[in-house]
Amino acid sequence: LPRPARGLTDRLYCGRRVCYEVLGVSRQASKAEIARAYRQLARQYHPDRNRGEPAGGEGGGAQAAHEKFLLIAAAYETLKDEETRKDYDYMLDHPEEYYRHYYHYYSRRLAPKVDVTIVILVTVCAISVFQFFSWWSSYNEAINYLASVPKYRIQATEIARQQGLLNKTKEKGKNRRSKEEIREEEEEIIKDIIKNKIDIKGGYQKPKIYDILLFQILLAPFYWCKYIVWYCWWIYCFTIKGQEYGVEEKLYIIRRYMKMSQSQFDSLEDHQKETFLERQLWIRENYEVYKREQEEELKKKMAMDPRWKRYRRWMKNEGPGRLTFIDD
């Protein structure tokens, strides 16, 4: 049997008792010997077997047998796992490292049983699925709205008639369908033409599977390498060699000045981008002048807006936090 160990506490492992002594095995015992000793003692001190034993019996009664069974179970739980047994042996050999034993004991007991990697992967997949279907819903809402606008609906209907798609919906004889079915099919044809002819940009654009979170995480190393290569190319061409900016480079600098994302900048009209290029907004001084002009124009629009006038009048006369007896 192992030598008595100092520093044992009631809240760690087997408390003041040595787990090897509880099972009656040595510290060199194998897993099979520990399991065999546990089964023998568990059958002997199982609560069901000692339920009717009086308190003054040989075993000390049912309550004592129950406590003994819990102690045996705790000793077996400690020694059956290799890592836990290694920590326990270290505690027996180094009882003075009190806080280290506490940390290892409770870190193993309170550690999550499920692998954190699996939890993160499942969470990312769930977010990606929700993100993809949410984008599809927004895209369908945009298509339904465009199908209800007379301008786009008339153009789509004219294209469908030129392609002979609407004539196929009107059939006679046995294959004749109800007006409701024909109307639904015509609606789907118009929506398909709008999807093919109109390029929706911005937040309502057609979702792509590479834009969801899962693929963004998987392709992050590729994007980082691509950005580093592009950044080195930019410094070499325009900083070291001093080449002139092309159209794409000019639009990129303008977008950075405006602090807009790529999707937001792509949603702008072509004539707006042409105006940016004509005014040479990739030059910082020209952009500052343009920015001040836009701010002045916005102030004029707000000054002429009737709702803004009412708001300013309300803030001047009443405003929040003032004592008033007006019911409305």
Side-chain angles (χ1 to χ4, degrees):
L1 294 179
R3 57 182 175 80
R6 298 174 299 167
L8 298 178
T9 59
D10 295 330
R11 288 175 289 180
L12 299 182
Y13 303 108
C14 299
R16 297 287 180 177
R17 299 286 303 277
V18 179
C19 294
Y20 293 101
E21 294 179 354
V22 173
L23 296 180
V25 295
S26 64
R27 288 184 60 172
Q28 291 75 28
S30 62
K31 275 189 175 182
E33 294 174 351
I34 293 173
R36 192 182 309 113
Y38 166 72
R39 287 194 295 269
Q40 293 176 357
L41 294 174
R43 285 195 299 266
Q44 181 180 354
Y45 293 98
H46 198 278
D48 293 339
R49 189 172 183 179
N50 299 274
R51 184 174 298 175
E53 186 177 344
E58 296 180 359
Q63 183 64 27
H66 179 69
E67 295 176 358
K68 181 69 173 178
F69 180 79
L70 294 179
L71 182 61
I72 293 169
Y76 179 67
E77 290 294 326
T78 302
L79 301 179
K80 73 175 184 178
D81 183 67
E82 289 293 337
E83 297 297 328
T84 308
R85 183 178 179 180
K86 188 181 299 182
D87 292 340
Y88 183 71
D89 291 341
Y90 187 86
M91 187 188 74
L92 295 179
D93 297 333
H94 304 83
E96 68 280 357
E97 300 181 15
Y98 184 78
Y99 296 104
R100 182 185 185 278
H101 306 324
Y102 255 90
Y103 170 75
H104 282 277
Y105 176 77
Y106 284 105
S107 63
R108 292 190 183 279
R109 290 181 63 89
L110 302 179
K113 303 301 181 182
V114 182
D115 191 2
V116 180
T117 307
I118 298 176
V119 175
I120 295 175
L121 181 60
V122 172
T123 304
V124 170
C125 292
I127 294 174
S128 302
V129 171
F130 174 78
Q131 186 181 24
F132 186 75
F133 283 103
S134 176
W135 283 353
W136 262 114
S137 177
S138 300
Y139 176 71
N140 291 329
E141 288 179 5
I143 295 298
N144 294 333
Y145 170 74
L146 293 175
S148 64
V149 177
K151 173 184 175 182
Y152 300 109
R153 187 176 185 86
I154 292 173
Q155 294 179 1
T157 304
E158 186 64 26
I159 294 173
R161 286 174 180 170
Q162 292 176 1
Q163 296 178 357
L165 299 176
L166 295 181
N167 298 331
K168 295 180 181 180
T169 59
K170 299 178 181 179
E171 299 175 352
K172 298 181 180 180
K174 295 182 180 180
N175 297 327
R176 186 176 182 180
R177 292 167 294 176
S178 62
K179 294 182 179 180
E180 186 67 26
E181 293 176 350
I182 295 175
R183 191 181 300 111
E184 290 179 358
E185 187 171 350
E186 290 179 353
E187 190 72 20
E188 292 297 327
I189 292 173
I190 292 173
K191 290 181 180 179
D192 290 339
I193 293 176
I194 291 176
K195 290 179 182 179
N196 297 327
K197 296 297 181 180
I198 297 181
D199 185 16
I200 302 176
K201 298 179 180 179
Y204 292 91
Q205 65 183 0
K206 188 175 182 179
K208 299 178 181 178
I209 194 171
Y210 295 104
D211 294 335
I212 63 176
L213 180 61
L214 179 60
F215 281 91
Q216 289 292 317
I217 294 175
L218 294 177
L219 297 176
F222 169 74
Y223 290 141
W224 275 107
C225 295
K226 185 177 179 181
Y227 173 77
I228 292 172
V229 172
W230 172 85
Y231 187 74
C232 296
W233 170 83
W234 182 282
I235 293 176
Y236 174 75
C237 291
F238 304 112
T239 304
I240 299 176
K241 297 183 67 175
Q243 296 180 2
E244 294 185 0
Y245 296 124
V247 177
E248 295 183 359
E249 288 77 17
K250 294 176 181 178
L251 292 176
Y252 169 76
I253 296 174
I254 295 171
R255 181 175 67 84
R256 291 294 300 270
Y257 285 160
M258 293 183 174
K259 298 180 180 179
M260 299 174 65
S261 63
Q262 186 65 47
S263 60
Q264 291 174 336
F265 194 78
D266 292 340
S267 62
L268 298 177
E269 299 292 338
D270 293 335
H271 65 86
Q272 291 179 296
K273 298 178 181 179
E274 292 176 359
T275 304
F276 297 159
L277 295 174
E278 290 175 0
R279 299 196 57 173
Q280 297 182 355
L281 297 186
W282 66 88
I283 302 175
R284 189 71 183 186
E285 293 78 10
N286 297 342
Y287 174 74
E288 294 296 338
V289 174
Y290 173 80
K291 183 179 179 181
R292 287 194 294 269
E293 292 177 358
Q294 293 296 315
E295 291 176 354
E296 292 295 331
E297 186 177 353
L298 180 61
K299 289 180 181 178
K300 291 179 181 179
K301 289 183 179 180
M302 294 178 65
M304 299 300 294
D305 190 359
R307 292 178 296 179
W308 182 248
K309 288 182 179 180
R310 288 197 300 269
Y311 174 74
R312 287 186 298 172
R313 190 163 49 248
W314 176 78
M315 289 292 293
K316 180 180 179 181
N317 297 331
E318 300 174 12
R322 294 196 178 191
L323 182 63
T324 177
F325 294 98
I326 302 177
D327 294 337
D328 56 355

